[in-house]
Amino acid sequence: MDIFSKNIIAEKLLFVFWSNGYHLTTLQDLQHELDMRPGSIYYKLGNKEALCRLAMEFYIDGLNSKFLEAKTKSESPIKVLKEFVVLLLKDFKSTSPNYLCFLMKIMTEINDRNSPLFTSAKIAIDSFHFKIESLLIEARERGEIRNATCCKSTAILIQSFIDGVRIATKKSTHDVAIADITDDFFGFLF
């Protein structure tokens, strides 16, 4: 399977699993979305867990792309971080079928901490916390934020802000100015 076909399939899988959740996604949902017979799905793509993992990889690749895009726009770690948050939230507002981060949705739905899907989602979330924390450490070293700033706690706070804005934008009946809200939030933080 070429990368183009794999990405199209992964995007469709992401939509189904993100909309329905892992446990509520049925074989019929997958058949309908992929326009494939069950035997073909299992033969070409694997079982339900493998399909969800493919969706997670596609989602993580999208996060990484946004992070790299943000890094190309500024030398300032704080500006990179703000840009990343804005890119993430704007894309999320227009494309996501659910107000939860896909990785968070998988983690909250799968209660088994020993599950490979739970572990993969947690590793990905921890990786993004580390990226945010690293930018904050760099910002502190450059004097962009206070020396007393706890970068680990602030990274978690920024993730909480992202999750909160996601919920607000999905539940709101009026247009939310994501860039303005992000500027205000970073103004409060730093």
Side-chain angles (χ1 to χ4, degrees):
M1 176 182 334
D2 65 28
I3 191 71
F4 180 72
S5 299
K6 184 178 177 185
N7 283 343
I8 291 171
I9 289 170
E11 186 173 17
K12 289 178 178 185
L13 291 170
L14 176 61
F15 181 80
V16 172
F17 283 115
W18 204 351
S19 297
N20 301 346
Y22 180 76
H23 292 301
L24 294 179
T25 296
T26 66
L27 183 56
Q28 290 77 21
D29 296 327
L30 297 169
Q31 278 180 253
H32 176 73
E33 192 65 34
L34 298 175
D35 194 25
M36 294 172 74
R37 300 251 183 252
S40 297
I41 292 172
Y42 287 118
Y43 177 74
K44 290 184 177 183
L45 303 171
N47 63 16
K48 185 176 174 179
E49 186 174 311
L51 298 174
C52 189
R53 187 177 311 282
L54 184 60
M56 284 175 56
E57 289 169 6
F58 182 78
Y59 183 81
I60 292 165
D61 287 347
L63 292 176
N64 284 325
S65 293
K66 286 174 189 51
F67 191 79
L68 291 174
E69 181 181 343
K71 284 192 87 154
T72 64
K73 294 189 177 187
S74 180
E75 293 288 319
S76 161
I78 292 300
K79 288 181 180 175
V80 168
L81 191 51
K82 283 169 59 172
E83 181 66 23
F84 173 65
V85 170
V86 169
L87 286 170
L88 190 66
L89 291 171
K90 281 185 175 177
D91 183 59
F92 175 85
K93 185 177 177 186
S94 64
T95 62
S96 71
N98 191 296
Y99 61 87
L100 284 176
C101 159
F102 181 62
L103 300 170
M104 291 284 197
K105 183 173 179 68
I106 293 297
M107 283 182 62
T108 56
E109 190 177 319
I110 297 175
N111 296 324
D112 180 5
R113 292 183 176 270
N114 296 317
S115 161
L117 284 177
F118 181 94
T119 302
S120 294
K122 179 155 181 18
I123 288 169
I125 289 170
D126 289 348
S127 169
F128 275 93
H129 280 182
F130 180 75
K131 286 180 181 187
I132 292 169
E133 184 180 352
S134 296
L135 282 173
L136 291 168
I137 289 168
E138 185 182 343
R140 187 173 60 196
E141 289 169 354
R142 289 179 169 207
E144 292 184 31
I145 61 175
R146 296 180 301 279
N147 279 336
T149 301
C150 175
C151 296
K152 187 176 212 72
S153 297
T154 305
I156 293 169
L157 186 59
I158 290 169
Q159 178 64 51
S160 299
F161 167 76
I162 293 167
D163 294 338
V165 172
R166 284 176 164 159
I167 292 168
T169 57
K170 282 294 183 187
K171 299 293 181 185
S172 178
T173 56
H174 63 283
D175 195 25
V176 178
I178 290 170
D180 293 341
I181 290 172
T182 303
D183 280 341
D184 289 347
F185 176 72
F186 275 79
F188 291 132
L189 277 182
F190 311 114

